Amino acid sequence: MEQQALDRGTLPKLQINRLRMDDVKAAFADGWRDFRSYPTFGLFFGAIYALGGLFIAVMLTYYHLPWMIIPVAIGFPLIGPFVAVGLYEISRRNQKGEAISWKAVLAEVFRQRERQLSWMAFVVLFIFWIWIYQVRLLMALFLGFRIPATLDAFVDVVLTTPPGLLFLTVGTVVGAVLATILFTATVISMPLLLDHDVDFVTAMLTSMRTVIDNPAPMLAFGVIVAALSILSLIPLFLGLLVVLPVAGHATWHLYRRAITAT
């Protein structure tokens, strides 16, 4: 693969590789292989994510905010990269032939609190909250303040009325923009911060440059992950038990194909 030097004045020196669609296919194949090799770990991290989604849905229903379930469910995958840190560590250890145990993996996950990866958590959660507030703003603009009190009524208004369809269209466009920004900033930076001791700004810039230099394969990877994540929400978030770990492992392998550290 052709390489372009990315000199940030830090060690290690990072090189962005040219990616092809075959690299995307190989990343998913490797991700599926890692999941099959260590399914207990994958199901554990996937369960944390799935249970978190179910808890949010139950709480929104309890507090009579069922109309927020759909936007929250759609936006919830935005925090997936941070949740998948444990999966990156499993793939990293497997690739380097290191021992994989619960103690080693969880210790590395908790160790990230003292490293630059913790700063990325603020970036991810900040964009997630922007998503939630822009949904509320668009609801007020297009649907007014008399929002349906039930999920069924909300879906009916959104899909069958002109204001609802306009809200859905604008919300989809805005959401796609936010998701693209977050994907561009995190797809490479998250595994990079786990793998090397670089600052989070350098990691984000490296991730952005990687997407810019490889727009077709990187965006194809993002679209596939997003589509699988949304489909996995349909059976009460249970699809995330498999989709999240496979996507997490695949992200690690795509990162390893995209970045060379010297």
Side-chain angles (χ1 to χ4, degrees):
M1 290 181 286
E2 179 187 350
Q3 296 182 334
Q4 295 181 333
L6 182 65
D7 187 4
R8 302 294 184 191
T10 61
L11 294 176
K13 184 178 180 181
L14 304 174
Q15 293 179 316
I16 296 178
N17 303 325
R18 287 293 186 182
L19 299 176
R20 299 175 299 174
M21 288 299 179
D22 288 343
D23 293 306
V24 176
K25 295 178 182 178
F28 278 109
D30 291 340
W32 175 245
R33 183 201 64 214
D34 283 356
F35 174 68
R36 292 184 61 188
S37 298
Y38 304 97
T40 305
F41 288 91
L43 291 174
F44 171 76
F45 288 107
I48 293 176
Y49 199 64
L51 290 174
L54 284 173
F55 175 76
I56 292 175
V58 169
M59 293 304 294
L60 288 174
T61 302
Y62 178 79
Y63 286 106
H64 306 292
L65 297 171
W67 47 270
M68 282 295 293
I69 292 176
I70 293 178
V72 168
I74 293 175
F76 194 55
L78 292 177
I79 66 175
F82 187 71
V83 179
V85 170
L87 300 166
Y88 303 154
E89 176 63 10
I90 293 168
S91 291
R92 186 191 71 82
R93 286 177 171 271
N94 185 47
Q95 203 167 42
K96 292 188 175 182
E98 299 178 3
I100 297 176
S101 66
W102 287 105
K103 181 179 179 180
V105 172
L106 295 179
E108 187 62 31
V109 170
F110 284 112
R111 195 167 74 88
Q112 301 310 309
R113 295 176 301 171
E114 304 169 358
R115 300 184 62 192
Q116 292 287 306
L117 196 58
S118 60
W119 288 101
M120 287 302 301
F122 287 106
V123 175
V124 172
L125 293 175
F126 177 70
I127 294 180
F128 179 70
W129 281 115
I130 290 178
W131 161 255
I132 296 300
Y133 278 106
Q134 70 87 22
V135 168
R136 294 177 65 90
L137 175 62
L138 292 177
M139 283 182 178
L141 290 175
F142 294 112
L143 303 181
F145 294 98
R146 302 180 65 179
I147 300 173
T150 66
L151 180 60
D152 290 342
F154 174 71
V155 173
D156 182 65
V157 168
V158 169
L159 296 181
T160 62
T161 66
L165 291 173
L166 187 58
F167 161 76
L168 184 63
T169 301
V170 176
T172 300
V173 172
V174 174
V177 171
L178 289 175
T180 301
I181 292 173
L182 186 61
F183 170 79
T184 302
T186 62
V187 62
I188 296 299
S189 61
M190 290 289 197
L192 175 59
L193 287 170
L194 177 70
D195 200 27
H196 295 289
D197 191 18
V198 298
D199 63 274
F200 81 98
V201 174
T202 296
M204 289 179 62
L205 292 176
T206 302
S207 186
M208 293 176 182
R209 280 287 306 276
T210 303
V211 175
I212 292 172
D213 290 351
N214 300 281
M218 293 300 295
L219 292 179
F221 180 84
V223 169
I224 293 172
V225 170
L228 290 175
S229 298
I230 292 175
L231 289 175
S232 68
L233 300 177
I234 296 175
L236 296 175
F237 296 87
L238 295 179
L240 292 172
L241 289 171
V242 175
V243 170
L244 179 68
V246 172
H249 291 309
T251 300
W252 171 266
H253 289 289
L254 187 68
Y255 150 73
R256 292 290 293 167
R257 289 173 175 272
I259 300 296
T260 300
T262 56

